[in-house]
Amino acid sequence: MRASASTAAAFAFAAALALTACDDGGGDSGTEDRETGRSGAACRLDGVAVDAVASAAPAAGDTGTVSFTVTNRGAACALDGLPGVTLVAGGTSVKVPADAAAPERKLTLAEGTAVSFTLTYVRGEADGGRGLAVTTARVALPGAADTRDFPWSYGDVSLKDGGDGVPDATVGPFQQAGD
């Protein structure tokens, strides 16, 4: 009986230690790199506010950016991976590729905290030039099926060489917003 009590105590200690390891340490940021094996509900667009601010490319060939800020309005949720953006032009929808240098991170977004990500694009030529006449940017969060549309008024988006319809644009990783 003594051995089973020791075994039970060891399991209880291990369980308490595992639960303590899930604590975020009370940091100020509200976000943390999450380690493999931790779980949390994916952030959904119906539980966050998303704002977009653009620094539009002034002319064809110039680079512009659209920064999206995601602020959690509810219980803590997880962002596991990279944001998704699809550009919509009439009946055509094209997914914007992730920046090749963008690290995929697992973050916990606590209530009231924010992260941001940036869409960088090259402005295309209008009127039959080599550009995609974008009307909408459709945003998706990793691990969630819902999307949110934002009107696009920043000019055509250039297409990469190669004729495969890939926009000359990239989406960056989530970054801590604010301080």
Side-chain angles (χ1 to χ4, degrees), residues 13-79:
F13 176 75
L17 186 59
L19 289 173
T20 303
C22 291
D23 185 12
D24 69 0
D28 293 333
S29 72
T31 61
E32 68 177 59
D33 286 335
R34 296 178 46 86
E35 298 173 8
T36 304
R38 290 186 177 172
S39 63
C43 294
R44 293 179 34 94
L45 285 166
D46 62 0
V48 300
V50 182
D51 297 306
V53 176
S55 179
D62 291 338
T63 300
T65 60
V66 181
S67 295
F68 295 89
T69 301
V70 179
T71 305
N72 189 5
R73 298 182 308 200
C77 60
L79 295 169

